[in-house]
Amino acid sequence: MLDLNAKPDRPLVAASILSADFGYMIRDCREVLGKGADLLHVDVMDGHFAQNLTMGQDMIRALRRHLPDTVLDVHLMVERPGDYIDDFAKAGASNFTFHLEVHHGDDARALIDRIKDAGMTVGMAINPATPPDGLAPFLDLLDVVLVMSVVPGASGQSFMPEVLPKTQWAAQRVGDKTRVEMDGGLSPTTAPAAAAAGCDMMVTASALFGSDDRADVIRALHESAP
Ligand code: DX5
Ligand code: ZN
């Protein structure tokens, strides 16, 4: 299985299943993995932190059963991520990312420990409007820093270039073992700016699943680094 702690020589492509056809979920996942996507990104929303209801542990379990060797990068846009650590670990999640907006300070430190104890890698996500300072105490403990380039809630929104300085801020401070992920509005057009800012893990939903040539989108993201 892909090791998220190994610095990649080109940006990793995380296919966000939010834009897959839910009626053909495993078929769509196999297709994009076969065309070069490095991992799957699973967006969990609770209708409170983000105004949408998406999926949970049963989807993770099904993905894990059918795709035993695929990294499942689970992004929790929920108010109480701590409620899901054990269930998601058992279901087969690989990486568990929660938002700085719901857990910070000592509270976040405790959550990071629990996620690691459950056997998952850990990420912290930050919304476009949130300043990055709250991430600083945790950078050495994180496997993934996730910079949101849209307001969480839905696929298909426009990339917000104003978060690029925050991406650069994170990329300059993390060690080789930590990935700098961006999520929202990434496409062959916007990916070069993300890569130039230091993003080495790119989430894509609508640009990938909405394309007639998915292999070409994946290739463009892989080749977007300067
Ligand atoms: C947004 C989700 C994203 C979303 C990305 O709230 O966290 O992962 O699926 O969708 P696109 O790539 O279409 O912006
Ligand atoms: Zn996401």
Side-chain angles (χ1 to χ4, degrees):
M1 198 181 288
L2 171 75
D3 177 5
L4 282 186
N5 296 122
K7 193 166 178 53
D9 50 17
R10 59 184 188 180
L12 298 174
V13 175
S16 165
I17 66 169
L18 197 53
S19 286
D21 182 333
F22 277 36
Y24 291 96
M25 181 55 77
I26 296 300
R27 182 202 69 180
D28 275 10
C29 290
R30 285 213 170 97
E31 187 203 327
V32 294
L33 291 165
K35 288 180 173 169
D38 299 286
L39 66 152
L40 296 176
H41 181 86
V42 180
D43 286 309
V44 178
M45 303 186 199
D46 63 354
H48 297 284
F49 182 80
Q51 295 300 311
N52 199 354
L53 289 168
T54 55
M55 57 194 107
Q57 68 202 48
D58 298 316
M59 178 66 85
I60 297 168
R61 190 176 302 109
L63 293 168
R64 176 55 68 225
R65 187 166 59 237
H66 292 278
L67 300 165
D69 301 322
T70 299
V71 168
L72 302 178
D73 170 35
V74 183
H75 175 196
L76 284 95
M77 288 157 280
V78 308
E79 284 186 355
R80 295 165 56 126
D83 290 356
Y84 304 100
I85 293 172
D86 295 330
D87 286 343
F88 281 20
K90 274 194 205 107
S94 314
N95 182 64
F96 185 107
T97 291
F98 65 94
H99 268 262
L100 170 65
E101 291 79 17
V102 295
H103 283 290
H104 29 83
D106 286 346
D107 203 21
R109 200 174 296 273
L111 209 67
I112 290 169
D113 286 345
R114 284 184 53 207
I115 294 163
K116 289 185 175 174
D117 286 347
M120 297 179 286
T121 56
V122 58
M124 268 177 100
I126 180 166
N127 277 343
T130 307
D133 326 27
L135 288 174
F138 307 109
L139 293 175
D140 288 346
L141 305 172
L142 297 173
D143 302 290
V144 174
V145 174
L146 170 51
V147 179
M148 290 302 299
S149 36
V150 297
V151 175
S155 299
Q157 304 181 72
S158 298
F159 184 77
M160 297 171 69
E162 56 267 41
V163 304
L164 288 167
K166 200 155 55 178
T167 305
Q168 210 165 15
W169 178 96
Q172 283 166 352
R173 284 167 177 77
V174 297
D176 281 355
K177 288 187 168 177
T178 304
R179 305 283 61 79
V180 177
E181 183 177 25
M182 289 186 83
D183 184 5
L186 284 166
S187 69
T189 310
T190 56
C199 166
D200 59 9
M201 184 163 157
M202 299 183 174
V203 176
T204 173
S206 55
L208 174 62
F209 287 102
S211 171
D212 291 337
D213 192 345
R214 295 172 177 175
D216 195 51
V217 173
I218 294 165
R219 193 177 319 116
L221 266 50
H222 274 150
E223 292 173 1
S224 61

